[in-house]
Amino acid sequence: MLKFLGRRLLGLIPILFFVSVLIFLFVHLIPGDPARLLAGADASYSDIAAVRSRLGLDKPILAQYLSYVSNMFHGNLGTSFRTGRPVVSEIGDRFMPTLLLTLVSMLWSFIVALVVGVISTIKKDKWQDYTVRFGALSGISLPSFWLGLMLMQLFSVQLHWLPTVGFNSWKGIILPSLTLGSGIAAVLARFTRASLQEVLQEDYTRTARAKGLAYNLVIWKHALRNALIPVVTMAGLQFGYLLGGSVVVETVFSWPGEGRLLIDSVGFRDYPVIQGEMLLFALEFILINVLVDILYAVLNPQIRLE
Amino acid sequence: MSSPLPPASPTDAGPAAPGRHSPAAEFWRKFRKKKVGVASGLFILLLLIVAVIGPSIAPYPMEKPDYNHILAGASFAHPAGTDEFGRDIFSRILVGTRISLWVGFSSVFLGAVFGTFLGLISGFYGKWIDTLIMRFCDILFAFPGILLAIGIIAILGPGLGNVIIAVSIYGIPVFARLVRGNTLALKASVYVEAATTVGAKNGRIIWKHIFPGTLSTIIVYFTMRIGMAILTASSLSFLGLGAQPPTPEWGAMLSNGRAYLNTSPHVVIFPGIALFLSVLAFNLFGDELRDALDPKIRD
C-alpha cells in the first residue's frame, strides 16, 4: 500500500510542474505587454517600466518562473489589482463558503443517487425505473443556472419559504446546494444503476439468490457493497464538476465563494486573482483525484497488487 | 458534420438479405426500434430546420423594441411574452437556435478533429509521442469542466468566437483519450498486422484501417458532447463571458432576465425551456445511438 501511495504521489510531480508552468505563463499568454496590462490603462511609460522591474518582467523568463514558484511556496501569490489585498487572503476568505456548498451538495446527491439507483434496479423496466432513467437524463440536461432561477422563483419569490440569496442561516444553503447537486445526483444515479446490474450478474449474487435470500436483501447486503466501489470513484471524479458548477451556482445565488470571486476577477481583469483561483481549483482537483485513487485502492485490493 | 449514418442506412437496410448485415443496416435495424432515439432525432432535425429558417419565420423582428408592451406575459400575440424592451421573446428564441446549435456543433467538431488526430498518433506511435500527448491531456484535465473554458476566456477576452475556441479546447483531451484507447486495441488486431506485413505505410494504416474502427465511438461521443457544449457555452454567456446582450443567445437572455425574475418570470422561463429541451434531445439521442452502435450490446 505504501509503495502504491509513493508511486501515485511521485506521478503527481510532472503534472504539478506543467500546471504551474501553464498558470505562470497565463499573464504572458494574454495578447499585449503584461507590464502595460498590469500597470493599467492610463499608465505612463515610466510607470510601465517601474511595474516591469518591480514584477521582474525584465528578467529572463526562466528566472521569472523560478521566482514565481518560490513565491508560491512562501504563500505569496501577488496582490489583487482590484482591492490591493494579497491574493492569498482574497482566496482564503472565500474558501469556507465554497467548501461548505460543495460538501453539502455532494452529500445529498450521493445519498439520493444510491436510493434512486437501487429503486431503479429493483423495479427494472417498470415505470419506476423509467421515471428514474428519464429524471436522471433530465437532471444532466438541465442548465444549472436556469434550475437555480426557477427554484428561487418558486421557493423564495412565490412561497417565501427560503431566502433568495445569502449565507446567513442554514436555510440559505438549501437552494444553492439543490441546484449544484442535481447534475451529480443524476450522473451518480445512472452509474449506481449500471454498476448494480453488473454486480447482479455475478456468480456470488446468484448464489445468494439460489440459497433463498430475499431479492431486496441480496441487493442491499451483497450487491450494493461491491457496486459501490465504482460509484465512490465516480463521485470523487464528479467533484471536478462540482468545482466548475460552483462558479455558475455561486453567481446565481450571490454566494460569497471562490467561483464568484473568479467571475468577478475575470470581469475586472484582475489577473493575479484569476491566476490564484486557477491554481487553487487545479490543486483541489488533482488532490481529490489522488484521494479517490487511494480510496479505490483501499476498497479494491486488486488495484494495489498490480 | 451531419452524422453520416442515418441517411445512408435506409437504402442499405432495404436490399439486405436476412442473414447478411452491413454495419449500417445493422445499426438502422436496432436504432429504428428505439422510439426515444427516433423521437429525439426528429426533434434535433426540427432544431436544425429552425436554425436555418428561424429568422425568416420569427413573427417579429428580434431587435425591434415595442415600448407599449414591456415585460408582457405570454399571450396569443406573444407566445412567450416580451422582454424589458418589449421585444418578442419567442422570436428571439427562434433566432437564438442558430447561435446555440452553431456554437455546439462547431466547438465539438473542432475538439473532435484535434482530439482524434492526437489520439490516433498517440496510440499508434506510442513511446515518447504518447507520453507527451497524454501529459498534455492530463494538464488540460487538471482544470475541471467549465474552469478551463473560463481560464481561456480570461486570456482571449469575452465573446462568442472565443467561447467556441474555449469549449473546443476543453473537448480535445476527451476525444484524444477515447481514440487512443481504441487505437491501441485496433493496433493489436489481426487485420492491422496483415496491413503492416504487406508493407502498407503508417499513414495509410492509420487513416484506412484504424480511423474507421474508431468512428462509431467518435460519433456517439460527438452527439453526447454537443448537448454538453451547448450547455457550457450558454453558461459562459450567462456569466457574461460569451454572447453579449443584444445577441439573442439563450444563456445571455437568461442572464438579462434575472433582473425581472420577481415580477416577470416568463422572461427567464421560456429561453430556459428551449435550452433544456435542446440539450435533452442531444443527450437522449446520444444515449440511444450508443446502445445501437455499441458492438458489445448485441440482441
Side-chain angles (χ1 to χ4, degrees):
Chain A
M1 186 67 203
L2 219 60
K3 210 171 140 195
F4 168 82
L5 211 68
R7 206 159 24 131
R8 190 64 187 78
L9 291 176
L10 270 181
L12 277 183
I13 293 172
I15 296 182
L16 287 176
F17 169 71
F18 285 115
V19 165
S20 72
V21 169
L22 197 67
I23 291 174
F24 160 74
L25 285 177
F26 183 82
V27 177
H28 296 270
L29 288 172
I30 298 163
D33 177 7
R36 178 173 298 237
L37 214 69
L38 302 187
D42 40 45
S44 67
Y45 279 106
S46 57
D47 286 346
I48 295 170
V51 167
R52 187 169 290 134
S53 70
R54 182 165 57 84
L55 296 173
L57 288 169
D58 46 357
K59 293 200 192 96
I61 198 138
L62 189 69
Q64 287 183 44
Y65 173 71
L66 290 177
S67 78
Y68 170 76
V69 172
S70 137
N71 279 335
M72 197 164 76
F73 278 112
H74 290 96
N76 176 9
L77 293 175
T79 315
S80 162
F81 292 168
R82 191 153 54 110
T83 61
R85 294 175 64 211
V87 172
V88 175
S89 26
E90 285 284 344
I91 291 178
D93 289 350
R94 310 293 192 105
F95 192 73
M96 283 317 285
T98 297
L99 188 70
L100 192 68
L101 178 61
T102 41
L103 285 182
V104 171
S105 309
M106 183 47 97
L107 193 71
W108 83 255
S109 52
F110 189 75
I111 295 170
V112 167
L114 280 194
V115 173
V116 160
V118 169
I119 293 175
S120 184
T121 309
I122 295 175
K123 304 280 181 190
K124 188 172 185 246
D125 291 329
K126 304 242 168 60
W127 66 267
Q128 292 96 328
D129 183 27
Y130 284 118
T131 313
V132 167
R133 281 160 68 183
F134 187 74
L137 211 55
S138 305
I140 293 169
S141 312
L142 264 178
S144 62
F145 49 94
W146 186 60
L147 176 66
L149 290 172
M150 290 297 105
L151 290 174
M152 207 191 264
Q153 160 71 16
L154 181 63
F155 291 105
S156 311
V157 179
Q158 301 283 338
L159 300 168
H160 299 289
W161 287 356
L162 296 166
T164 41
V165 291
F167 181 56
N168 305 318
S169 73
W170 61 270
K171 277 184 173 173
I173 202 170
I174 294 177
L175 292 183
S177 63
L178 265 181
T179 310
L180 184 56
S182 63
I184 301 169
V187 172
L188 291 182
R190 271 158 66 100
F191 210 69
T192 309
R193 180 179 176 275
S195 176
L196 254 181
Q197 273 169 9
E198 208 160 287
V199 171
L200 284 175
Q201 317 228 325
E202 303 263 343
D203 289 340
Y204 69 90
T205 46
R206 214 163 14 152
T207 312
R209 282 284 283 151
K211 73 178 184 185
L213 283 184
Y215 189 52
N216 284 351
L217 197 69
V218 173
I219 289 196
W220 287 104
K221 274 207 83 171
H222 296 254
L224 192 59
R225 267 176 73 177
N226 284 293
L228 263 180
I229 297 174
V231 177
V232 167
T233 315
M234 191 65 176
L237 293 178
Q238 287 295 316
F239 245 104
Y241 172 89
L242 271 182
L243 292 174
S246 70
V247 176
V248 178
V249 173
E250 285 178 4
T251 305
V252 172
F253 290 97
S254 305
W255 191 258
E258 307 285 356
R260 225 181 115 220
L261 180 62
L262 176 63
I263 294 303
D264 289 349
S265 306
V266 173
F268 277 92
R269 297 174 154 255
D270 193 346
Y271 295 112
V273 178
I274 301 174
Q275 265 179 313
E277 284 286 348
M278 296 301 283
L279 185 70
L280 176 76
F281 278 121
L283 284 182
E284 280 179 337
F285 191 47
I286 291 171
L287 194 73
I288 289 161
N289 276 314
V290 174
L291 287 177
V292 167
D293 273 7
I294 294 171
L295 192 65
Y296 194 61
V298 170
L299 291 173
N300 188 351
Q302 279 175 336
I303 298 289
R304 261 176 286 161
L305 297 173
E306 259 172 27
Chain B
M1 178 73 199
S2 60
S3 150
L5 280 170
S9 18
T11 45
D12 289 0
R20 210 193 90 228
H21 290 308
S22 76
E26 172 83 351
F27 160 76
W28 180 244
R29 192 177 60 80
K30 275 192 200 168
F31 190 78
R32 70 178 168 194
K33 274 189 264 171
K34 297 182 174 298
K35 294 195 190 77
V36 178
V38 172
S40 51
L42 287 175
F43 187 76
I44 291 172
L45 197 66
L46 179 75
L47 283 177
L48 288 172
I49 293 171
V50 171
V52 175
I53 63 168
S56 33
I57 56 165
Y60 298 86
M62 63 131 189
E63 302 107 333
K64 191 175 156 252
D66 176 359
Y67 294 110
N68 294 322
H69 298 95
I70 287 172
L71 295 171
S75 63
F76 281 112
H78 299 284
T82 61
D83 66 6
E84 71 272 25
F85 297 111
R87 296 175 300 195
D88 181 50
I89 293 177
F90 181 64
S91 303
R92 291 175 63 75
I93 290 175
L94 286 181
V95 177
T97 311
R98 181 183 291 182
I99 301 172
S100 282
L101 286 196
W102 164 245
V103 173
F105 271 104
S106 55
S107 59
V108 177
F109 182 71
L110 286 175
V113 168
F114 285 106
T116 304
F117 178 73
L118 289 178
L120 284 171
I121 296 211
S122 182
F124 188 79
Y125 290 101
K127 302 203 183 94
W128 64 270
I129 299 180
D130 185 32
T131 314
L132 190 76
I133 293 176
M134 285 302 113
R135 277 290 158 274
F136 169 72
C137 290
D138 284 344
I139 298 164
L140 291 186
F141 270 128
F143 302 96
I146 199 172
L147 288 166
L148 181 65
I150 292 174
I152 294 167
I153 301 260
I155 294 170
L156 299 175
L160 213 51
N162 292 341
V163 165
I164 294 178
I165 297 174
V167 177
S168 57
I169 292 179
Y170 163 40
I172 289 176
V174 179
F175 282 98
R177 278 202 180 169
L178 208 69
V179 172
R180 174 182 175 266
N182 276 345
T183 306
L184 284 176
L186 290 169
K187 203 180 138 189
S189 68
V190 180
Y191 68 85
V192 169
E193 200 184 318
T196 319
T197 317
V198 299
K201 291 207 171 60
N202 284 344
R204 189 183 159 80
I205 293 176
I206 293 177
W207 182 243
K208 287 273 177 188
H209 299 286
I210 294 183
F211 174 67
T214 62
L215 205 57
S216 67
T217 319
I218 295 173
I219 291 169
V220 169
Y221 247 75
F222 191 93
T223 321
M224 292 179 132
R225 297 289 302 186
I226 286 178
M228 179 94 140
I230 292 177
L231 213 51
T232 310
S234 65
S235 300
L236 288 169
S237 292
F238 177 79
L239 293 171
L241 305 178
Q244 299 301 316
T247 320
E249 202 274 345
W250 298 337
M253 287 167 76
L254 278 163
S255 173
N256 248 13
R258 273 178 78 187
Y260 310 99
L261 185 67
N262 288 355
T263 48
S264 320
H266 69 268
V267 180
V268 171
I269 291 173
F270 291 105
I273 290 175
L275 185 56
F276 168 60
L277 287 180
S278 312
V279 176
L280 183 66
F282 278 103
N283 284 343
L284 284 171
F285 189 68
D287 240 31
E288 299 281 69
L289 208 57
R290 182 188 50 198
D291 288 353
L293 280 175
D294 192 345
K296 275 179 286 183
I297 310 170
R298 291 252 185 258
D299 50 351

